[in-house]
Amino acid sequence: MESSVSTSSVNTGGLRNKAVVYPSPVAKGDRHLWGIYILLVFMGIVELYSASSRLVRTTTISVYNPILINALILLAGLGIIWILQRTHYRVILKYAPAFAGLSVVLMLITIFAGKEVNSATRAIDLKIFTLQPSEFLKLSAAMMVALFTAKFQKKGGGVENTGVFLSAALILVFCAMLAPQGLTNTLLLMSISVSMMLIGGIEIRKIAVVMLVYVLCFLGYLGYTHIRNSYKTENTEQVSGKKDRTGVWSDRLDSYFGDGPKYEEPLTSENRQEMLGYMAQANGGVFGVGPGNSRETARLPLAHTDYIYAIIVEEMGLMGGIFVLVLYLWLLARASSIASRCSRAFPALLVIGMALTIVFQALFHICIVTGVIPVSGQPLPLISKGGTSVLITSIAFGVMLSVSRFAVRTKGDKTDIKNEIEALPESVRAENPTQL
């Protein structure tokens, strides 16, 4: 990084109470991150066109409507990225708690007055579009764990108990809000938090305690819902319109651990989505049938969202599926490289948290579609159709690019490092624990 400094080229969001000197940013952000973003968007446009045939066939919309709408959402996402990558990550530090608070408010609105989607209350209907607050919650969780872990770094290594407690308590509160919607987002949030704690320097024994608490709380929730449902059944009370999510989890686990191979199971209304997804992937072979030539897209439910990876493998084959997987792993590797070279703890943990949020969601989607884990719903970031998911993923990319531009490298000029330290609040000036 250049040793020149700037006091005016950085969007500080009105943070300056005194003259603060900022290190000059890198001109365009990390090229690898931009390259991954462009490739994922291109894949999304191509595959969404193919995967939307069932959606077009079962509605009165034009064949081009899904692509045009998604293109507008992607354009809005690009605008978010452009703004954030020109904004110093110190602004993100200041507004992370407010973003988390907004996420909680939106989630509470969803719980009490939300729209039911796939037998669970998941969205807020804004007439023009629907908002999925669970996506906000996942991103804000990564931001806040990064903040707590950086704020309570110990000089001799490790994280103070206060930081561990705040991180774990926040995740448990968020998981309690997500649990009624389904198991996947709950496990995803726990996985992201544990990974960030490990990278952030929290001692293994403390992480083990946190994981034990997670497991006990999860089992406690399952026990509570089982007792509640048993009580309602014994008293012949009707469960309102929707099936309890624990029953759905139980059915999916029974199907996952069922006897015999999947190809011997008959096609039923319960396993239709799962079986057609497997058929699509088997039809793709090694090199695929080519873009636009999918056989199963017209039959596969949610091919444009929760099962779009099956269409990717069908049309682009095993090689195309591996290519998409490598893109997400490349994103995580690049974020890890940026994090390991940051001078301060907060930008390092922030960039890795954003990457983990995207990559873990992608891995969950791929594992669900390929049958590695039980069936659930999870969009593929920047590829699946979905407004909230695309916008939240764009925020994550924008934050990563901001860190890549403004965070001082460990081998940078000493003046730049000094200026960065002085620009940050005293509570988050700890050195980067991820340095290799």
Side-chain angles (χ1 to χ4, degrees):
M1 178 171 288
E2 297 176 1
S3 59
S4 59
V5 295
S6 171
T7 58
S8 59
S9 62
V10 180
N11 177 8
T12 62
L15 291 175
R16 239 179 274 158
N17 295 320
K18 60 179 182 178
V20 177
V21 181
Y22 292 89
S24 296
V26 176
K28 298 180 181 179
D30 189 80
R31 290 178 296 175
H32 292 258
L33 294 179
W34 275 116
I36 294 166
Y37 171 78
I38 292 170
L39 288 172
L40 287 175
V41 167
F42 176 76
M43 289 286 296
I45 292 173
V46 171
E47 292 304 320
L48 183 60
Y49 181 77
S50 297
S52 297
S53 62
R54 177 184 172 89
L55 179 65
V56 172
R57 183 173 60 85
T58 56
T59 61
T60 58
I61 64 176
S62 164
V63 66
Y64 297 108
N65 273 25
I67 303 301
L68 293 175
I69 293 172
N70 202 61
L72 291 175
I73 296 172
L74 287 170
L75 189 62
L78 180 60
I80 291 173
I81 293 175
W82 183 255
I83 293 171
L84 288 177
Q85 64 97 26
R86 295 174 61 84
T87 302
H88 197 286
Y89 69 84
R90 182 171 179 254
V91 180
I92 299 163
L93 165 64
K94 179 180 180 181
Y95 290 106
F99 184 78
L102 174 63
S103 302
V104 170
V105 170
L106 292 175
M107 199 66 200
L108 290 174
I109 294 173
T110 304
I111 293 172
F112 293 106
K115 178 182 178 181
E116 185 177 328
V117 179
N118 294 331
S119 74
T121 306
R122 304 175 189 271
I124 299 174
D125 189 357
L126 300 177
K127 304 304 179 183
I128 301 176
F129 62 93
T130 57
L131 201 63
Q132 299 271 359
S134 59
E135 300 296 322
F136 284 81
L137 216 59
K138 286 181 283 189
L139 193 69
S140 61
M143 288 182 179
M144 293 307 295
V145 172
L147 176 58
F148 291 145
T149 309
K151 187 173 182 178
F152 293 98
Q153 288 285 321
K154 293 190 291 189
K155 290 184 178 180
V159 178
E160 296 175 10
N161 291 336
T162 304
V164 180
F165 173 79
L166 290 174
S167 298
L170 178 82
I171 296 301
L172 288 175
V173 171
F174 284 7
C175 286
M177 294 181 177
L178 289 173
Q181 294 188 1
L183 177 63
T184 313
N185 279 332
T186 308
L187 294 177
L188 178 59
L189 206 57
M190 291 180 176
S191 301
I192 293 170
S193 68
V194 170
S195 299
M196 289 189 66
M197 289 177 187
L198 182 63
I199 295 169
I202 295 178
E203 297 88 331
I204 297 297
R205 58 184 177 81
K206 293 181 181 179
I207 295 177
V209 172
V210 170
M211 293 179 66
L212 178 62
V213 171
Y214 284 173
V215 171
L216 291 176
C217 290
F218 182 71
L219 294 176
Y221 175 77
L222 292 180
Y224 163 74
T225 52
H226 176 73
I227 294 172
R228 183 193 63 186
N229 293 338
S230 298
Y231 175 79
K232 287 185 176 181
T233 302
E234 290 172 2
N235 289 272
T236 64
E237 295 181 10
Q238 296 296 322
V239 180
S240 63
K242 23 185 175 177
K243 185 175 183 181
D244 189 89
R245 298 305 297 175
T246 53
V248 175
W249 301 344
S250 177
D251 292 344
R252 288 174 175 174
L253 288 173
D254 288 342
S255 174
Y256 180 75
F257 293 107
D259 298 329
K262 288 291 182 182
Y263 60 80
E264 292 183 356
E265 292 185 13
L267 185 65
T268 65
S269 58
E270 285 77 19
N271 68 4
R272 178 180 177 82
Q273 181 169 292
E274 180 183 10
M275 297 299 286
L276 290 177
Y278 295 149
M279 291 178 188
Q281 294 170 78
N283 186 46
V286 177
F287 298 105
V289 298
N293 295 320
S294 170
R295 182 188 68 190
E296 302 299 337
T297 182
R299 300 195 298 163
L300 177 60
L302 301 179
H304 56 293
T305 53
D306 294 346
Y307 265 72
I308 197 168
Y309 190 73
I311 304 304
I312 292 174
V313 174
E314 182 180 17
E315 295 192 344
M316 303 182 67
L318 175 64
M319 302 307 295
I322 292 175
F323 176 74
V324 171
L325 175 61
V326 168
L327 281 180
Y328 289 110
L329 296 179
W330 180 16
L331 172 63
L332 182 59
R334 192 58 189 172
S336 300
S337 175
I338 294 170
S340 68
R341 292 182 285 118
C342 288
S343 171
R344 302 297 100 190
F346 178 71
L349 296 172
L350 184 63
V351 70
I352 202 68
M354 297 299 98
L356 285 171
T357 302
I358 297 172
V359 175
F360 271 33
Q361 183 166 318
L363 292 178
F364 270 57
H365 175 101
I366 292 171
C367 288
I368 289 166
V369 173
T370 56
V372 176
I373 61 178
V375 173
S376 185
Q378 200 67 226
L380 191 60
L382 288 181
I383 295 180
S384 291
K385 180 180 181 294
T388 308
S389 176
V390 170
L391 296 179
I392 291 298
T393 304
S394 298
I395 292 175
F397 264 96
V399 172
M400 287 188 287
L401 285 165
S402 172
V403 172
S404 75
R405 292 190 71 204
F406 295 110
V408 177
R409 306 298 186 259
T410 52
K411 295 182 180 179
D413 185 89
K414 291 183 179 180
T415 302
D416 274 350
I417 295 176
K418 178 177 178 294
N419 289 334
E420 181 177 38
I421 292 173
E422 292 179 350
L424 293 173
E426 189 173 351
S427 60
V428 289
R429 292 178 178 179
E431 291 186 4
N432 178 12
T434 71
Q435 291 176 7
L436 303 180

